[in-house]
């Protein structure tokens, strides 16, 4: 069970999150949607301590993790993995070495065991044939798949996926959707998925929260979203360019 | 006038903050050294990169330095017919002073700058955050191997550079002053420069340490995307050069005091 309570976060004078509360029951898949700059990435980074809230409380399985130290967060991160929006593979390592790194660091495996384990993870995302290539030599979509493989190596109980299907071809996207569903159904993994991909939203999500103007505009099931007559939500899920939706000012610091 | 003072005051505070930040980073690096659980692969990679990047420029710099010292000293020495001093004159300054400083500066321009750029890029592309997310401490995983590699390698490079500086000096003496190689070598040996040689090696290690700390610090604190990386590399090289000269001065003073 993950819960965010009344999270506030500003960068300079820009209040990105202004009282966001939402929770994810164990084993569920929670989607977070919203326009670019709405603060989706900022929100999910709070869970693993990469960003600290100005105000509010974050808890994981009932344990308050809001004020853990950087060291304290290492134990959280061992069970809570994250796939970043931009794949963040280590440029200096081949793809398989990327996947092997957490195994080398945290598990007592022989090098051939680590190799097999990493290969298995790469196969899960259909990247085994490219194992020896380097991140700079492959495209964005492929990199993202390897990043997913790397995030799953330590068998996390929680996974944050920040736009996992953006940049993937439709087949690979469906595959990633299935993987997320499988993790939940078979291994009871709890996931938070940030996404713009309407198809994944309506096929994979158990619950959806829409961020708008620093708050949760609607928190509900896919059906709640389909049936909502809120004009901002209608505009978003129908993908119309014009409507009542205010876009966050594009600014950085 | 008051405006100028305000600007200068702000600048001084900025520099003090920077020194404080670097000092703190130094302490954090030392703390990350214990327990000694270093990533073997990353450490090996750091040694390899540092060595490969720097040995040619160090050898070239050293040979030129030796040659220049002989040319500088040669005129006066020839005029006074004291050619037996050439080996001493070349060896003395090169081993303890100019050799380590020039090698340190070249090393910083090459290895330090490259290190700041690499770490800075890792910061702006969130690779450092990704490490933290994998529960791997960037200080331990990234800073410590570079710290060790730069100290050890600059020590070795100064040791190697000294040989090439003397070689440069010997060739120049032979060509310009007609001093045979065997005479030059025996002059250098007679000059008993072990003290200077050791002082140079100590300086080399200290320079390596300061280049490692400064270049990692500027890399880890990059803000503002690719342009930020460029600025950081620039600042890192300037700060390393100042650090090298300051350490050189400090060691010189201490050495003088204890003699
Ligand atoms: N470290 C930071 N420092 C300053 N501002 C930041 C920082 N991180 C995010 N922001 C700002 O916070 C706002 C929300 O960013 P965020 O990345 O969460 O948006 P998002 O909802 O994930 O959008 P997208 O769909 O484009 O990924 C943006 O305006 C961004 O510029
Ligand atoms: Mg985002």
């Amino acid at each position: 069970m993950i819960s965010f309570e009344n999270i506030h976060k500003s960068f300079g004078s820009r209040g990105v999150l202004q009282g966001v509360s939402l929770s994810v029951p164990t084993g569920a898949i929670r989607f977070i949607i919203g326009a670019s700059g709405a603060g989706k990435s900022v929100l999910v980074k709070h869970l693993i301590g990469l960003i600290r809230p100005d105000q509010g409380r974050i808890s994981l399985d009932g344990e308050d993790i809001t004020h853990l130290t950087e060291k304290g967060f290492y134990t959280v991160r061992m069970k809570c993995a994250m796939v970043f929006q931009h794949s963040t593979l280590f440029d200096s390592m081949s793809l398989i070495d990327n996947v092997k790194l957490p195994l080398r660091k945290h598990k007592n495996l022989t090098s051939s065991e680590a190799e097999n384990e990493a290969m298995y993870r790469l196969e899960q995302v259909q990247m085994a044939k490219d194992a020896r290539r380097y991140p700079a030599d492959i495209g964005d979509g492929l990199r993202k798949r390897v990043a997913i493989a790397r995030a799953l190596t330590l068998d996390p109980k929680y996974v944050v996926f920040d736009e996992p299907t953006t940049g993937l071809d439709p087949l690979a996207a469906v595959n990633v959707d299935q993987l997320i569903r499988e993790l939940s159904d078979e291994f009871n993994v709890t996931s938070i998925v940030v996404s713009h991909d309407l198809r994944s939203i309506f096929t994979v999500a158990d619950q959806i929260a829409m961020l708008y103007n620093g708050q949760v505009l609607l928190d509900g099931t896919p059906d709640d979203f389909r049936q909502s007559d809120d004009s901002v939500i209608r505009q978003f899920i129908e993908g119309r360019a014009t409507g009542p939706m205010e876009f966050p000012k594009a600014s950085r610091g | 006038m008051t405006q100028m003072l305000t600007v200068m005051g702000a600048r001084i505070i900025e520099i003090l903050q920077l020194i404080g930040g670097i000092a703190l980073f130094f302490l954090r690096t030392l703390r990350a050294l214990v327990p000694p659980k270093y990533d073997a692969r990353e450490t090996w990679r750091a040694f390899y990169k540092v060595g490969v990047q720097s040995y040619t420029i160090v050898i070239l710099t050293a040979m030129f330095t030796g040659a220049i010292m002989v040319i500088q000293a040669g005129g006066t020495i020839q005029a006074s017919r004291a050619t037996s001093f050439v080996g001493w004159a070349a060896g003395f300054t090169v081993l303890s002073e100019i050799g380590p400083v020039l090698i340190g500066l070249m090393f910083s321009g090459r290895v330090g700058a490259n290190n700041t750029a690499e770490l800075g890029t890792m910061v702006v592309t969130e690779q450092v955050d990704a490490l933290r997310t994998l529960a791997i401490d960037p200080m331990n995983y990234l800073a410590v191997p570079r710290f060790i590699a730069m100290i050890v390698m600059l020590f070795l490079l100064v040791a190697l550079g000294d040989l090439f500086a003397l070689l440069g000096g010997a060739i120049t003496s032979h060509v310009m002053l007609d001093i045979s190689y065997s005479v030059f070598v025996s002059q250098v040996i007679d000059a008993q420069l072990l003290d200077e040689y050791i002082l140079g090696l100590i300086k080399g290690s200290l320079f390596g340490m300061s280049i490692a700390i400064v270049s990692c610090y500027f890399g880890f604190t990059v803000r503002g995307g690719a342009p930020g990386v460029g600025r950081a590399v620039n600042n890192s090289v300037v700060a390393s050069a100042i650090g090298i000269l300051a350490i050189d001065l400090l060691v010189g003073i201490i050495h003088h005091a204890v003699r």
Side-chain angles (χ1 to χ4, degrees):
Chain A
M1 167 93 171
I2 298 169
S3 89
F4 295 94
E5 288 163 45
N6 194 30
I7 303 295
H8 288 253
K9 181 69 192 179
S10 304
F11 293 105
S13 60
R14 210 176 120 62
V16 176
L17 303 177
Q18 298 167 345
V20 172
S21 298
L22 59 87
S23 63
V24 193
T26 303
I29 302 176
R30 156 70 85 176
F31 269 60
I32 296 176
I33 63 175
S36 278
K40 305 179 296 293
S41 298
V42 169
L43 177 67
V44 295
K45 282 179 188 170
H46 279 82
L47 183 61
I48 48 173
L50 293 181
I51 293 180
R52 303 305 182 98
D54 297 335
Q55 196 188 318
R57 185 170 177 275
I58 304 153
S59 66
L60 199 62
D61 287 337
E63 184 202 353
D64 186 342
I65 60 168
T66 322
H67 301 294
L68 288 182
T69 59
E70 171 76 8
K71 258 219 166 71
F73 261 110
Y74 281 172
T75 49
V76 171
R77 293 169 190 161
M78 292 292 288
K79 53 185 178 178
C80 182
M82 171 151 174
V83 179
F84 286 72
Q85 181 168 0
H86 307 284
S87 68
T88 69
L89 294 182
F90 305 117
D91 292 325
S92 61
M93 294 178 203
S94 66
L95 302 181
I96 188 151
D97 285 342
N98 263 278
V99 180
K100 257 196 259 176
L101 181 67
L103 295 169
R104 275 207 298 121
K105 285 296 183 186
H106 299 300
K107 287 200 173 168
N108 255 330
L109 299 180
T110 64
S111 75
S112 71
E113 283 168 343
E115 176 88 11
N116 291 340
E117 173 75 23
M119 253 343 206
Y120 163 72
R121 298 292 174 181
L122 284 172
E123 270 160 25
Q124 270 189 316
V125 291
Q126 291 95 39
M127 288 297 295
K129 61 185 181 314
D130 293 313
R132 309 277 157 206
R133 299 176 76 184
Y134 279 79
D137 303 335
I138 61 173
D140 254 346
L142 301 187
R143 275 202 288 266
K144 189 156 274 175
R145 290 199 244 167
V146 178
I148 293 173
R150 186 179 68 184
L152 299 180
T153 42
L154 294 178
D155 293 314
K157 283 176 65 190
Y158 308 90
V159 189
V160 176
F161 295 92
D162 197 346
E163 304 199 13
T165 55
T166 309
L168 267 60
D169 64 72
L171 279 177
V174 169
N175 196 273
V176 166
D177 286 345
Q178 278 170 357
L179 183 64
I180 295 172
R181 195 66 255 177
E182 248 171 57
L183 288 171
S184 163
D185 295 345
E186 287 170 33
F187 302 100
N188 205 30
V189 170
T190 310
S191 304
I192 295 182
V193 185
V194 174
S195 184
H196 294 293
D197 185 340
L198 292 173
R199 193 192 37 74
S200 4
I201 294 171
F202 288 111
T203 51
V204 187
D206 292 321
Q207 292 166 314
I208 306 172
M210 172 147 176
L211 287 188
Y212 185 63
N213 283 343
Q215 287 177 329
V216 176
L217 180 64
L218 178 64
D219 180 349
T221 62
D223 277 336
D224 293 337
F225 272 77
R226 280 196 198 91
Q227 284 150 21
S228 166
D229 46 19
D230 183 292
S231 53
V232 171
I233 289 170
R234 291 245 62 83
Q235 186 193 340
F236 191 86
I237 65 179
E238 285 162 14
R240 278 183 284 116
T242 53
M245 195 155 169
E246 296 170 27
F247 289 93
K249 285 172 221 65
S251 78
R252 260 207 102 104
Chain B
M1 185 65 195
T2 46
Q3 202 193 348
M4 206 176 89
L5 285 179
T6 332
V7 171
M8 270 172 61
R11 191 85 190 112
I12 289 171
I13 290 174
E14 229 173 76
I15 291 172
L16 290 179
Q17 275 174 344
L18 179 66
I19 294 173
I22 293 176
L24 205 67
F25 185 81
F26 182 42
L27 293 179
R28 284 177 59 204
T29 310
L30 292 183
R31 211 169 49 200
L33 283 167
V34 280
K37 273 179 63 183
Y38 316 136
D39 191 88
R41 284 181 64 140
E42 195 64 18
T43 309
W44 167 242
R45 201 175 77 88
F47 268 97
Y48 181 79
K49 259 189 84 171
V50 168
V52 166
Q53 277 172 359
S54 54
Y55 77 94
T56 32
I57 54 159
V58 164
I59 289 173
L60 278 177
T61 311
M63 286 189 66
F64 279 122
T65 314
I68 291 166
M69 288 323 291
V70 168
I71 293 171
Q72 288 290 324
T76 13
I77 287 171
Q78 224 172 12
S80 61
R81 291 173 208 277
T83 43
S84 58
F85 278 120
V86 147
W88 178 84
F92 185 76
T93 32
V94 167
L95 294 182
S96 66
E97 199 58 43
I98 312 216
V101 169
L102 284 183
I103 290 173
L105 290 174
M106 296 303 278
F107 185 90
S108 139
R110 184 116 175 96
V111 176
N114 186 285
N115 185 44
T116 302
E118 186 186 7
L119 292 179
T121 306
M122 289 186 75
V123 169
V124 300
T125 57
E126 294 185 302
Q127 291 176 52
V128 173
D129 283 346
L131 266 184
R132 293 165 63 199
T133 303
L134 296 171
I136 298 170
D137 179 9
M139 287 303 291
N140 189 279
Y141 183 77
L142 295 174
V144 165
R146 286 160 170 78
F147 182 75
I148 296 172
M150 287 194 211
I151 293 174
V152 174
M153 288 309 280
L154 201 42
F155 177 92
L156 294 176
L157 287 168
V158 169
L160 179 79
D162 283 344
L163 294 181
F164 279 92
L166 293 178
L167 178 65
I171 295 173
T172 320
S173 304
H174 183 68
V175 174
M176 281 192 48
L177 305 174
D178 207 22
I179 297 173
S180 77
Y181 294 117
S182 59
V183 170
F184 186 89
V185 170
S186 65
Q187 281 180 15
V188 170
I189 293 172
D190 285 346
Q192 299 194 334
L193 295 169
L194 190 63
D195 220 25
E196 276 65 35
Y197 185 65
I198 291 173
L199 183 64
L201 292 179
I202 292 174
K203 282 182 181 175
S205 321
L206 292 175
F207 295 164
M209 185 189 294
S210 86
I211 294 167
I213 293 297
V214 168
S215 67
C216 287
Y217 174 81
F218 279 98
F220 277 129
T221 51
V222 163
R223 295 280 171 278
V229 177
R231 274 195 302 276
V233 170
N234 221 311
N235 292 337
S236 155
V237 172
V238 173
S240 284
I242 294 173
I244 287 170
L245 296 176
I247 290 172
D248 190 46
L249 179 67
L250 209 70
V251 174
I253 291 172
I254 294 171
H255 183 241
H256 196 75
V258 298
R259 239 146 79 117

